[in-house]
Amino acid sequence: MTHPGAPAAARAIIAAGRRCDRNGWVPGTAGNFSVRLDDASCLITQSGRHKGFLTEADLMAVGLDGSPRGPGRPSNETPLHLALYRRDRAIGAVVHGHSRAATVLSMRAGDAMTLAGYELLKVLGASPDPDCAASLAVFDNDQDISRLAARIDPTLAAPAALPGYLIRGHGVYVWGSGMDQAMARLEALEFILACELEKLRRTE
Ligand SMILES: [Zn+2]
């Protein structure tokens, strides 16, 4: 890890992985995490590593053009992270988990989920006013991640979009200016999704 920002980025990713593991959001080797290093590269989890037990050796730097900056194999879902960093220079960290709530709800939703009336929408930059619904995009899953990234990327330009999206039957992506904001947003969104799942259980 030769980039001067890499040690701090690694600490943030390792802590985020543990936090998500404690919450049951990264079962098996699911999920991936990254932090921007500079305008041209990010540090990202390697493929197939358990996110609850990450060390620096489980991370690697990748250019925003997809070129690896050293030995190792980056997460299969690296193109989804890179699309976000290329789209917006203000994005400093991207987190992805496979929670139960995100998986179940995404399988029942259409192209978007409507979220309204939750105080925690504030953390996602949206209004908690029940009359101001926020729309969380839902994309069909695709094992061709580059094709999936190409489908998602143009939709991220829409104004007022929440800083996250669901992939059907798969999980959730959330981003922020740095890992602290990305994780706060992920926790807020996961809380809201857990509430939505609870509401669904009570009405069925
Ligand atoms: Zn995934």
Side-chain angles (χ1 to χ4, degrees), residues 63-156:
L64 299 192
D65 59 358
S67 57
R69 299 280 171 89
R73 190 159 71 90
S75 163
N76 291 337
E77 295 180 39
T78 297
L80 294 171
H81 292 245
L82 301 183
L84 286 159
Y85 291 126
R86 287 196 302 259
R87 162 79 47 193
D88 185 352
R89 291 174 64 145
I91 293 176
V94 179
V95 293
H96 165 57
H98 295 200
S99 74
R100 194 174 306 169
T103 303
V104 172
L105 293 170
S106 66
M107 292 172 91
R108 298 178 60 101
D111 293 342
M113 273 186 73
T114 300
L115 306 174
Y118 290 103
E119 180 67 15
L120 275 179
L121 281 169
K122 283 182 186 170
V123 179
L124 294 154
S127 170
D129 186 331
D131 295 330
C132 299
S135 180
L136 180 65
V138 182
F139 299 97
D140 288 335
N141 199 14
D142 192 336
Q143 297 308 309
D144 183 333
I145 295 294
S146 294
R147 188 168 59 195
L148 180 58
R151 189 148 45 84
I152 290 173
D153 185 48
T155 71
L156 300 172

Coordinates of all heavy atoms in Angstrom, one line a residue, residues 63-156:
G63 N -7.4 1.7 -10.1 CA -7.6 3.0 -10.8 C -9.1 3.1 -11.2 O -9.8 2.1 -11.3
L64 N -9.5 4.4 -11.3 CA -10.9 4.6 -11.6 C -11.3 4.1 -13.0 O -12.4 4.0 -13.4 CB -11.3 6.0 -11.4 CG -11.2 6.6 -10.0 CD1 -11.9 7.9 -9.9 CD2 -11.7 5.6 -8.9
D65 N -10.2 3.8 -13.8 CA -10.4 3.2 -15.1 C -10.5 1.7 -15.0 O -10.6 1.0 -16.1 CB -9.3 3.6 -16.1 CG -7.9 3.1 -15.6 OD1 -7.8 2.6 -14.5 OD2 -6.9 3.4 -16.3
G66 N -10.4 1.1 -13.8 CA -10.5 -0.3 -13.6 C -9.2 -1.1 -13.5 O -9.1 -2.3 -13.3
S67 N -8.1 -0.3 -13.8 CA -6.8 -1.0 -13.8 C -6.3 -1.3 -12.3 O -6.3 -0.3 -11.5 CB -5.7 -0.1 -14.5 OG -5.7 1.1 -13.9
P68 N -5.9 -2.5 -12.0 CA -5.4 -2.8 -10.7 C -4.1 -2.1 -10.4 O -3.3 -2.0 -11.3 CB -5.3 -4.3 -10.6 CG -5.4 -4.8 -12.0 CD -6.0 -3.7 -12.9
R69 N -3.9 -1.6 -9.2 CA -2.6 -0.9 -8.9 C -1.8 -1.8 -8.0 O -1.4 -1.4 -6.9 CB -2.9 0.4 -8.1 CG -3.7 1.4 -9.0 CD -2.8 2.1 -9.9 NE -3.6 2.9 -10.9 CZ -4.0 4.2 -10.7 NH1 -3.6 4.8 -9.6 NH2 -4.6 4.8 -11.6
G70 N -1.7 -3.1 -8.4 CA -0.9 -4.0 -7.6 C -1.5 -5.4 -7.7 O -2.4 -5.6 -8.4
P71 N -0.9 -6.4 -7.0 CA -1.4 -7.8 -7.1 C -2.7 -7.9 -6.4 O -3.1 -7.1 -5.5 CB -0.3 -8.6 -6.4 CG 0.4 -7.6 -5.4 CD 0.3 -6.3 -6.1
G72 N -3.4 -9.0 -6.8 CA -4.7 -9.3 -6.1 C -5.9 -9.2 -7.1 O -5.7 -8.8 -8.3
R73 N -7.0 -9.6 -6.7 CA -8.2 -9.5 -7.5 C -9.3 -8.7 -6.8 O -9.8 -9.1 -5.7 CB -8.7 -10.9 -7.8 CG -9.8 -11.0 -8.8 CD -9.9 -12.4 -9.4 NE -10.5 -13.4 -8.5 CZ -11.8 -13.6 -8.4 NH1 -12.7 -13.0 -9.1 NH2 -12.3 -14.5 -7.5
P74 N -9.7 -7.5 -7.3 CA -10.6 -6.7 -6.7 C -12.0 -7.3 -6.7 O -12.3 -8.2 -7.5 CB -10.6 -5.4 -7.5 CG -10.1 -5.8 -8.8 CD -9.2 -6.9 -8.6
S75 N -12.9 -6.8 -5.8 CA -14.3 -7.3 -5.8 C -14.9 -7.4 -7.2 O -14.6 -6.6 -8.0 CB -15.1 -6.3 -5.0 OG -16.5 -6.4 -5.2
N76 N -15.7 -8.4 -7.4 CA -16.4 -8.6 -8.7 C -17.2 -7.3 -9.0 O -17.5 -7.1 -10.2 CB -17.4 -9.8 -8.6 CG -16.6 -11.1 -8.6 OD1 -15.5 -11.2 -9.0 ND2 -17.3 -12.1 -8.0
E77 N -17.7 -6.7 -8.0 CA -18.6 -5.5 -8.2 C -17.9 -4.2 -8.2 O -18.5 -3.1 -8.1 CB -19.7 -5.5 -7.1 CG -20.5 -6.8 -7.2 CD -21.6 -6.9 -6.1 OE1 -22.2 -5.8 -5.8 OE2 -21.8 -8.0 -5.6
T78 N -16.6 -4.2 -8.4 CA -15.8 -3.0 -8.5 C -16.3 -2.0 -9.6 O -16.3 -0.8 -9.3 CB -14.3 -3.4 -8.9 OG1 -13.8 -4.1 -7.8 CG2 -13.4 -2.1 -9.1
P79 N -16.8 -2.5 -10.8 CA -17.4 -1.5 -11.7 C -18.5 -0.6 -11.2 O -18.6 0.6 -11.6 CB -17.9 -2.4 -12.9 CG -17.0 -3.6 -12.8 CD -16.8 -3.8 -11.3
L80 N -19.3 -1.1 -10.2 CA -20.3 -0.3 -9.6 C -19.7 0.8 -8.7 O -20.3 1.9 -8.7 CB -21.3 -1.2 -8.8 CG -22.1 -2.2 -9.6 CD1 -22.9 -3.1 -8.7 CD2 -23.1 -1.5 -10.6
H81 N -18.7 0.5 -8.0 CA -18.0 1.5 -7.2 C -17.3 2.6 -8.2 O -17.5 3.8 -7.9 CB -16.9 0.9 -6.4 CG -17.4 0.0 -5.3 ND1 -17.2 0.3 -4.0 CD2 -18.1 -1.2 -5.4 CE1 -17.8 -0.7 -3.2 NE2 -18.3 -1.6 -4.1
L82 N -16.6 2.1 -9.2 CA -15.9 3.0 -10.1 C -16.9 4.0 -10.8 O -16.5 5.2 -11.0 CB -15.1 2.2 -11.1 CG -14.0 1.3 -10.5 CD1 -13.2 0.6 -11.6 CD2 -13.1 2.0 -9.5
A83 N -18.0 3.5 -11.2 CA -19.0 4.3 -11.9 C -19.4 5.5 -11.0 O -19.6 6.6 -11.5 CB -20.2 3.5 -12.2
L84 N -19.6 5.2 -9.7 CA -19.9 6.3 -8.7 C -18.8 7.3 -8.6 O -19.0 8.5 -8.7 CB -20.3 5.7 -7.4 CG -21.7 5.0 -7.4 CD1 -21.7 4.0 -6.2 CD2 -22.8 6.0 -7.3
Y85 N -17.6 6.9 -8.4 CA -16.4 7.8 -8.3 C -16.2 8.6 -9.5 O -15.9 9.8 -9.5 CB -15.2 7.0 -7.9 CG -15.2 6.4 -6.6 CD1 -14.9 5.0 -6.4 CD2 -15.4 7.2 -5.4 CE1 -14.9 4.4 -5.1 CE2 -15.4 6.6 -4.2 CZ -15.2 5.2 -4.0 OH -15.2 4.7 -2.8
R86 N -16.4 8.0 -10.7 CA -16.2 8.7 -11.9 C -17.4 9.8 -12.1 O -17.2 10.8 -12.7 CB -16.2 7.8 -13.1 CG -14.9 7.0 -13.2 CD -14.7 6.4 -14.6 NE -15.9 5.5 -14.9 CZ -15.8 4.2 -14.8 NH1 -14.7 3.5 -14.5 NH2 -16.9 3.5 -15.1
R87 N -18.6 9.4 -11.7 CA -19.8 10.2 -11.9 C -19.7 11.5 -11.0 O -20.1 12.6 -11.5 CB -21.0 9.4 -11.5 CG -22.3 10.1 -11.2 CD -23.0 10.6 -12.4 NE -23.3 9.7 -13.5 CZ -23.7 10.1 -14.7 NH1 -24.0 11.3 -14.9 NH2 -23.9 9.2 -15.6
D88 N -19.1 11.4 -9.8 CA -19.2 12.5 -8.9 C -17.9 12.6 -8.0 O -17.7 11.7 -7.2 CB -20.4 12.4 -8.0 CG -20.6 13.5 -7.0 OD1 -19.7 14.4 -7.0 OD2 -21.7 13.6 -6.4
R89 N -17.1 13.6 -8.2 CA -15.9 13.8 -7.5 C -16.1 14.0 -6.0 O -15.1 13.8 -5.2 CB -15.1 14.9 -8.0 CG -14.6 14.7 -9.4 CD -13.9 16.0 -10.0 NE -12.7 16.3 -9.2 CZ -11.6 16.9 -9.7 NH1 -11.6 17.1 -11.0 NH2 -10.6 17.1 -8.9
A90 N -17.3 14.3 -5.6 CA -17.6 14.5 -4.2 C -17.8 13.2 -3.4 O -17.8 13.2 -2.2 CB -18.8 15.4 -4.0
I91 N -17.9 12.1 -4.2 CA -18.1 10.8 -3.5 C -16.8 10.3 -3.1 O -15.8 10.2 -3.9 CB -18.8 9.8 -4.5 CG1 -20.2 10.2 -4.8 CG2 -18.8 8.4 -3.9 CD1 -21.0 9.4 -5.8
G92 N -16.7 10.0 -1.8 CA -15.4 9.6 -1.2 C -15.4 8.2 -0.7 O -14.3 7.6 -0.3
A93 N -16.6 7.6 -0.6 CA -16.7 6.2 -0.1 C -18.0 5.5 -0.6 O -19.0 6.2 -0.7 CB -16.6 6.1 1.5
V94 N -17.9 4.2 -0.8 CA -19.0 3.5 -1.3 C -19.1 2.2 -0.5 O -18.1 1.5 -0.3 CB -18.9 3.1 -2.8 CG1 -20.1 2.3 -3.3 CG2 -18.7 4.4 -3.7
V95 N -20.3 1.9 0.0 CA -20.5 0.7 0.8 C -21.7 -0.2 0.2 O -22.6 0.4 -0.3 CB -20.9 1.0 2.3 CG1 -19.6 1.6 2.9 CG2 -22.0 1.9 2.4
H96 N -21.5 -1.5 0.3 CA -22.5 -2.4 -0.3 C -22.7 -3.6 0.6 O -21.7 -4.2 1.0 CB -22.0 -2.8 -1.7 CG -22.8 -4.0 -2.2 ND1 -24.1 -4.0 -2.4 CD2 -22.4 -5.3 -2.6 CE1 -24.5 -5.2 -2.9 NE2 -23.4 -6.0 -3.0
G97 N -23.9 -3.8 1.0 CA -24.2 -5.0 1.8 C -25.4 -5.8 1.3 O -26.1 -5.3 0.3
H98 N -25.6 -7.0 1.8 CA -26.7 -7.9 1.4 C -27.6 -8.1 2.6 O -27.6 -9.2 3.2 CB -26.2 -9.2 1.0 CG -25.3 -9.2 -0.3 ND1 -25.1 -10.3 -1.0 CD2 -24.6 -8.2 -0.9 CE1 -24.3 -10.0 -2.0 NE2 -24.0 -8.7 -2.0
S99 N -28.3 -7.1 3.1 CA -29.2 -7.4 4.3 C -30.4 -8.1 3.9 O -30.8 -8.1 2.7 CB -29.5 -6.0 4.9 OG -30.5 -5.4 4.1
R100 N -31.0 -8.7 4.9 CA -32.3 -9.4 4.7 C -33.4 -8.5 4.2 O -34.1 -8.7 3.2 CB -32.7 -10.1 6.0 CG -33.8 -11.1 5.8 CD -34.1 -11.8 7.2 NE -32.8 -12.3 7.7 CZ -32.7 -12.8 9.0 NH1 -33.7 -12.7 9.8 NH2 -31.5 -13.3 9.4
A101 N -33.5 -7.3 4.8 CA -34.6 -6.3 4.5 C -34.4 -5.8 3.0 O -35.3 -5.8 2.2 CB -34.5 -5.1 5.4
A102 N -33.1 -5.5 2.6 CA -32.9 -5.0 1.3 C -33.2 -6.1 0.3 O -33.8 -5.8 -0.8 CB -31.4 -4.6 1.1
T103 N -32.9 -7.3 0.6 CA -33.1 -8.4 -0.3 C -34.6 -8.7 -0.5 O -35.1 -8.8 -1.6 CB -32.4 -9.7 0.2 OG1 -31.0 -9.4 0.4 CG2 -32.6 -10.9 -0.8
V104 N -35.3 -8.8 0.6 CA -36.8 -9.2 0.5 C -37.5 -8.0 -0.2 O -38.3 -8.3 -1.1 CB -37.3 -9.5 1.9 CG1 -38.9 -9.6 1.8 CG2 -36.7 -10.7 2.5
L105 N -37.3 -6.8 0.3 CA -38.1 -5.7 -0.2 C -37.8 -5.4 -1.7 O -38.7 -5.1 -2.5 CB -37.8 -4.4 0.6 CG -38.3 -4.5 2.0 CD1 -37.7 -3.3 2.8 CD2 -39.8 -4.5 2.1
S106 N -36.5 -5.6 -2.1 CA -36.2 -5.4 -3.5 C -36.9 -6.4 -4.4 O -37.1 -6.1 -5.6 CB -34.7 -5.4 -3.7 OG -34.2 -6.7 -3.5
M107 N -37.1 -7.6 -3.9 CA -37.8 -8.6 -4.7 C -39.3 -8.4 -4.9 O -39.9 -8.9 -5.7 CB -37.6 -10.0 -4.1 CG -36.1 -10.4 -4.1 SD -35.7 -11.9 -3.2 CE -36.0 -13.2 -4.5
R108 N -39.8 -7.5 -4.0 CA -41.3 -7.2 -4.1 C -41.5 -5.9 -4.8 O -42.7 -5.6 -5.2 CB -41.9 -7.1 -2.7 CG -41.8 -8.4 -1.9 CD -42.3 -8.2 -0.5 NE -43.7 -7.8 -0.6 CZ -44.7 -8.6 -0.4 NH1 -44.5 -9.9 -0.1 NH2 -46.0 -8.2 -0.4
A109 N -40.5 -5.1 -4.9 CA -40.7 -3.7 -5.5 C -40.7 -3.7 -7.0 O -40.2 -4.7 -7.6 CB -39.6 -2.8 -5.0
G110 N -41.1 -2.6 -7.6 CA -41.0 -2.4 -9.0 C -39.7 -1.7 -9.3 O -38.6 -2.2 -8.8
D111 N -39.7 -0.6 -10.1 CA -38.5 0.1 -10.4 C -38.0 1.0 -9.3 O -36.9 1.5 -9.4 CB -38.7 0.9 -11.7 CG -38.9 0.1 -12.9 OD1 -38.6 -1.1 -12.8 OD2 -39.4 0.6 -13.9
A112 N -38.8 1.2 -8.3 CA -38.4 2.0 -7.1 C -39.3 1.7 -5.9 O -40.4 1.2 -6.0 CB -38.6 3.5 -7.5
M113 N -38.7 2.0 -4.8 CA -39.5 2.0 -3.5 C -39.7 3.4 -3.0 O -38.8 4.2 -3.1 CB -38.6 1.3 -2.4 CG -38.7 -0.2 -2.4 SD -37.8 -0.8 -0.9 CE -39.0 -0.3 0.4
T114 N -40.9 3.6 -2.6 CA -41.3 5.0 -2.0 C -41.1 4.9 -0.5 O -41.7 4.1 0.2 CB -42.7 5.3 -2.4 OG1 -42.8 5.3 -3.8 CG2 -43.1 6.7 -1.8
L115 N -40.3 5.9 0.0 CA -40.0 6.0 1.4 C -40.5 7.3 1.9 O -40.1 8.3 1.4 CB -38.6 5.8 1.7 CG -37.9 4.5 1.2 CD1 -36.4 4.6 1.4 CD2 -38.5 3.3 1.8
A116 N -41.4 7.3 2.9 CA -42.0 8.6 3.4 C -42.3 8.5 4.8 O -42.7 7.5 5.4 CB -43.3 8.9 2.6
G117 N -42.1 9.7 5.5 CA -42.5 9.8 6.9 C -41.5 9.4 7.9 O -41.8 9.4 9.1
Y118 N -40.3 9.0 7.5 CA -39.3 8.5 8.4 C -38.4 9.7 8.8 O -37.8 10.3 7.9 CB -38.4 7.4 7.8 CG -39.2 6.1 7.6 CD1 -39.6 5.7 6.3 CD2 -39.4 5.2 8.7 CE1 -40.3 4.5 6.2 CE2 -40.0 4.0 8.5 CZ -40.5 3.6 7.3 OH -41.1 2.5 7.1
E119 N -38.2 9.9 10.1 CA -37.3 10.9 10.6 C -35.9 10.7 10.0 O -35.2 11.7 9.7 CB -37.3 10.9 12.1 CG -36.4 11.9 12.8 CD -36.9 13.3 12.6 OE1 -38.0 13.5 12.2 OE2 -36.0 14.3 12.8
L120 N -35.5 9.4 9.9 CA -34.1 9.2 9.5 C -33.8 9.4 8.0 O -32.7 9.4 7.6 CB -33.7 7.7 9.8 CG -33.2 7.5 11.2 CD1 -32.9 6.0 11.5 CD2 -32.0 8.3 11.5
L121 N -34.9 9.8 7.2 CA -34.6 10.2 5.9 C -33.7 11.4 5.8 O -33.0 11.7 4.8 CB -36.0 10.5 5.1 CG -36.7 9.3 4.6 CD1 -38.1 9.6 4.2 CD2 -36.0 8.6 3.5
K122 N -33.7 12.2 6.9 CA -32.8 13.4 7.0 C -31.4 13.0 6.8 O -30.6 13.7 6.2 CB -32.9 14.0 8.4 CG -34.2 14.8 8.6 CD -34.0 15.4 10.1 CE -35.3 16.1 10.5 NZ -35.2 16.5 11.9
V123 N -31.0 11.8 7.3 CA -29.6 11.4 7.2 C -29.2 11.1 5.7 O -28.1 11.3 5.3 CB -29.4 10.1 8.1 CG1 -27.9 9.6 7.9 CG2 -29.7 10.4 9.5
L124 N -30.3 10.8 4.9 CA -30.1 10.6 3.5 C -30.3 11.8 2.7 O -30.3 11.8 1.5 CB -31.0 9.5 3.1 CG -30.7 8.1 3.7 CD1 -31.9 7.2 3.8 CD2 -29.6 7.4 3.0
G125 N -30.4 13.0 3.4 CA -30.6 14.2 2.7 C -32.0 14.4 2.1 O -32.2 15.3 1.3
A126 N -32.9 13.7 2.6 CA -34.3 13.8 2.1 C -35.2 14.3 3.3 O -34.8 14.2 4.5 CB -34.8 12.4 1.6
S127 N -36.4 14.7 2.9 CA -37.3 15.3 3.9 C -38.0 14.2 4.7 O -38.5 13.3 4.0 CB -38.3 16.2 3.2 OG -39.3 16.6 4.1
P128 N -38.2 14.4 6.0 CA -39.0 13.4 6.7 C -40.5 13.7 6.7 O -41.3 12.9 7.2 CB -38.5 13.5 8.2 CG -38.0 15.0 8.2 CD -37.5 15.3 6.9
D129 N -40.8 14.8 6.0 CA -42.2 15.2 5.9 C -43.0 14.1 5.2 O -42.6 13.7 4.1 CB -42.3 16.5 5.1 CG -43.7 17.0 5.0 OD1 -44.7 16.2 5.1 OD2 -43.9 18.3 4.9
P130 N -44.1 13.6 5.8 CA -44.8 12.4 5.2 C -45.3 12.8 3.8 O -45.6 11.9 2.9 CB -46.0 12.2 6.1 CG -45.6 12.8 7.4 CD -44.6 13.9 7.1
D131 N -45.5 14.1 3.5 CA -46.0 14.5 2.2 C -44.8 14.5 1.1 O -45.1 14.7 -0.1 CB -46.6 15.9 2.2 CG -47.9 15.8 3.1 OD1 -48.5 14.7 3.1 OD2 -48.2 16.8 3.7
C132 N -43.6 14.4 1.6 CA -42.5 14.5 0.7 C -41.8 13.1 0.6 O -40.9 12.8 1.3 CB -41.4 15.5 1.2 SG -42.0 17.1 1.3
A133 N -42.3 12.3 -0.3 CA -41.8 10.9 -0.5 C -40.5 10.9 -1.2 O -40.3 11.7 -2.1 CB -42.8 10.1 -1.2
A134 N -39.6 10.1 -0.8 CA -38.3 9.9 -1.5 C -38.4 8.5 -2.2 O -39.0 7.6 -1.8 CB -37.2 9.8 -0.4
S135 N -37.7 8.5 -3.4 CA -37.8 7.4 -4.2 C -36.4 6.7 -4.2 O -35.4 7.3 -4.5 CB -38.2 7.8 -5.6 OG -38.2 6.7 -6.5
L136 N -36.4 5.4 -3.9 CA -35.2 4.6 -3.8 C -35.2 3.7 -5.1 O -36.1 2.8 -5.2 CB -35.1 3.8 -2.6 CG -33.9 2.9 -2.4 CD1 -32.6 3.7 -2.3 CD2 -34.1 2.0 -1.1
A137 N -34.3 3.9 -6.0 CA -34.3 3.1 -7.2 C -34.0 1.6 -7.0 O -33.2 1.3 -6.1 CB -33.3 3.7 -8.2
V138 N -34.7 0.8 -7.7 CA -34.4 -0.7 -7.7 C -34.1 -1.2 -9.1 O -34.8 -1.0 -10.0 CB -35.7 -1.4 -7.2 CG1 -35.4 -2.9 -7.0 CG2 -36.2 -0.9 -5.8
F139 N -32.9 -1.8 -9.2 CA -32.5 -2.3 -10.5 C -32.5 -3.8 -10.5 O -32.2 -4.4 -9.5 CB -31.0 -1.8 -10.8 CG -30.9 -0.3 -10.9 CD1 -30.5 0.4 -9.8 CD2 -31.3 0.4 -12.0 CE1 -30.4 1.8 -9.8 CE2 -31.2 1.7 -12.1 CZ -30.8 2.5 -11.0
D140 N -32.8 -4.4 -11.6 CA -32.7 -5.9 -11.7 C -31.3 -6.3 -11.6 O -30.4 -5.7 -12.2 CB -33.3 -6.3 -13.1 CG -34.8 -6.2 -13.1 OD1 -35.5 -6.2 -12.1 OD2 -35.4 -6.0 -14.3
N141 N -31.1 -7.4 -10.9 CA -29.7 -8.0 -10.8 C -29.2 -8.5 -12.1 O -30.0 -8.8 -13.0 CB -29.8 -9.1 -9.8 CG -28.4 -9.4 -9.2 OD1 -27.5 -8.7 -9.3 ND2 -28.3 -10.6 -8.5
D142 N -27.9 -8.5 -12.2 CA -27.2 -8.9 -13.5 C -25.9 -9.5 -13.1 O -25.1 -8.8 -12.4 CB -27.1 -7.7 -14.4 CG -26.7 -8.2 -15.8 OD1 -26.1 -9.2 -16.0 OD2 -27.0 -7.4 -16.8
Q143 N -25.5 -10.7 -13.5 CA -24.2 -11.3 -13.2 C -23.1 -10.6 -14.0 O -21.9 -10.7 -13.7 CB -24.2 -12.8 -13.4 CG -25.2 -13.5 -12.5 CD -25.0 -13.2 -11.0 OE1 -23.9 -13.2 -10.5 NE2 -26.1 -12.8 -10.4
D144 N -23.5 -9.9 -15.1 CA -22.5 -9.1 -15.8 C -22.5 -7.7 -15.2 O -23.3 -6.8 -15.4 CB -23.0 -9.0 -17.3 CG -22.0 -8.2 -18.1 OD1 -21.2 -7.4 -17.6 OD2 -21.9 -8.5 -19.4
I145 N -21.5 -7.5 -14.3 CA -21.5 -6.3 -13.4 C -21.2 -5.0 -14.3 O -21.8 -4.0 -14.0 CB -20.5 -6.4 -12.3 CG1 -21.0 -7.5 -11.3 CG2 -20.4 -5.1 -11.5 CD1 -22.3 -7.3 -10.6
S146 N -20.4 -5.2 -15.3 CA -20.1 -4.0 -16.1 C -21.4 -3.5 -16.9 O -21.7 -2.3 -17.0 CB -19.0 -4.3 -17.1 OG -17.8 -4.5 -16.5
R147 N -22.2 -4.5 -17.3 CA -23.5 -4.2 -18.0 C -24.4 -3.5 -17.0 O -25.1 -2.6 -17.3 CB -24.1 -5.5 -18.6 CG -25.3 -5.3 -19.4 CD -25.6 -6.5 -20.2 NE -25.9 -7.6 -19.3 CZ -26.0 -8.9 -19.7 NH1 -25.8 -9.2 -20.9 NH2 -26.2 -9.9 -18.8
L148 N -24.4 -4.1 -15.8 CA -25.3 -3.5 -14.7 C -24.9 -2.1 -14.4 O -25.7 -1.1 -14.3 CB -25.2 -4.4 -13.4 CG -26.0 -3.9 -12.2 CD1 -27.5 -3.8 -12.5 CD2 -25.8 -4.9 -11.1
A149 N -23.5 -1.8 -14.3 CA -23.0 -0.5 -14.0 C -23.4 0.5 -15.1 O -23.8 1.6 -14.9 CB -21.5 -0.5 -13.8
A150 N -23.4 0.0 -16.4 CA -23.7 0.9 -17.5 C -25.2 1.2 -17.5 O -25.6 2.3 -17.9 CB -23.4 0.2 -18.8
R151 N -26.0 0.3 -16.9 CA -27.5 0.6 -16.8 C -27.8 1.6 -15.7 O -28.6 2.4 -15.8 CB -28.2 -0.8 -16.6 CG -29.7 -0.7 -16.7 CD -30.2 -2.1 -17.2 NE -29.7 -3.2 -16.6 CZ -30.1 -3.8 -15.5 NH1 -31.0 -3.2 -14.8 NH2 -29.5 -4.9 -15.0
I152 N -27.0 1.4 -14.6 CA -27.3 2.3 -13.4 C -26.7 3.7 -13.6 O -27.4 4.7 -13.2 CB -26.7 1.6 -12.2 CG1 -27.5 0.3 -11.8 CG2 -26.7 2.6 -11.0 CD1 -26.9 -0.5 -10.7
D153 N -25.5 3.8 -14.2 CA -24.8 5.0 -14.2 C -25.6 6.2 -14.7 O -25.6 7.3 -14.0 CB -23.5 4.9 -15.0 CG -22.7 6.1 -14.9 OD1 -22.4 6.6 -13.8 OD2 -22.2 6.6 -16.0
P154 N -26.3 6.2 -15.8 CA -27.0 7.4 -16.3 C -28.1 7.8 -15.3 O -28.4 9.0 -15.3 CB -27.6 6.9 -17.6 CG -27.0 5.6 -18.0 CD -26.4 5.0 -16.7
T155 N -28.7 6.9 -14.6 CA -29.8 7.3 -13.7 C -29.3 8.1 -12.5 O -30.1 8.7 -11.8 CB -30.5 6.0 -13.2 OG1 -29.7 5.3 -12.2 CG2 -30.9 5.1 -14.3
L156 N -28.0 8.0 -12.2 CA -27.5 8.7 -11.0 C -27.4 10.2 -11.2 O -27.2 10.9 -10.2 CB -26.1 8.1 -10.7 CG -26.0 6.6 -10.4 CD1 -24.6 6.2 -10.3 CD2 -26.8 6.3 -9.1

